[in-house]
Amino acid sequence: MSESRADLTHAAVPGLFRRLAAILYDSVLVLALVAAAFTLVYLPLALGLGLEDLRQYPLYRHAMTAWMLFVGVGFHLWFWTHGGQTLGMRAWRMRLFSADGSPVSLKQALIRYAVAILSLAAGGLGFLWILWQPDKLAWHDMASGTRLVLVDPNRS
């Protein structure tokens, strides 16, 4: 069974403001999700085992850090590979595709996430790149072989 491909030939591409707005929207959601994930694990440790100060227990502290990273990164990977839209992208009418119009693979999503972090670490240069790049591709778009496009809110 083959996956359907979208025709991206004449797709409109979002600008920097729309991309940053979706990132801000998703950041608030991820922060709340990570806080909830922390609380769900920390409360049983603190109340049940008496491990209130995780700084005294490096194994638990590292496990909690890994858990919160898993939840935060997993948010993006899940949405990008299951429909191509995070909640912020949906609110700002954007959708992520592979460059050929097919759904994004987990490998592409991982590369996209890693390069987006590097783009931010470089003072946001990877995101600002769309201002000079004719196709409005950010570093993470180019590295992962993905395209972010505007979608019609009246179509699924």
Side-chain angles (χ1 to χ4, degrees):
M1 180 178 193
S2 66
E3 298 173 338
S4 62
R5 295 179 193 263
D7 181 10
L8 303 179
T9 309
H10 302 291
V13 181
L16 183 61
F17 173 78
R18 187 178 294 262
R19 288 174 182 239
L20 294 177
I23 290 169
L24 180 62
Y25 189 109
D26 284 335
S27 296
V28 171
L29 295 173
V30 168
L31 182 63
L33 188 61
V34 167
F38 176 84
T39 302
L40 286 173
V41 175
Y42 176 73
L43 283 180
L45 288 175
L47 298 176
L49 300 175
L51 305 177
E52 291 90 6
D53 186 2
L54 291 180
R55 291 176 294 187
Q56 296 176 0
Y57 306 95
L59 177 64
Y60 290 109
R61 186 180 74 235
H62 295 311
M64 284 296 283
T65 300
W67 167 241
M68 291 184 298
L69 281 172
F70 175 78
V71 170
V73 173
F75 171 89
H76 289 93
L77 300 182
W78 172 263
F79 281 107
W80 289 343
T81 59
H82 292 82
Q85 292 178 299
T86 61
L87 299 174
M89 290 165 68
R90 189 175 193 88
W92 285 92
R93 300 183 317 113
M94 296 182 293
R95 187 165 177 195
L96 186 65
F97 292 94
S98 289
D100 65 1
S102 64
V104 175
S105 70
L106 180 58
K107 179 181 177 183
Q108 286 176 301
L110 284 165
I111 292 169
R112 181 179 177 81
Y113 195 90
V115 176
I117 296 299
L118 293 174
S119 297
L120 286 172
L125 187 58
F127 288 90
L128 294 173
W129 198 256
I130 70 169
L131 298 173
W132 297 281
Q133 214 273 343
D135 294 331
K136 292 187 178 179
L137 297 175
W139 288 354
H140 47 278
D141 296 320
M142 293 182 282
S144 63
T146 58
R147 284 196 53 199
L148 195 57
V149 299
L150 292 173
V151 293
D152 181 354
N154 299 319
R155 295 174 61 194
S156 57

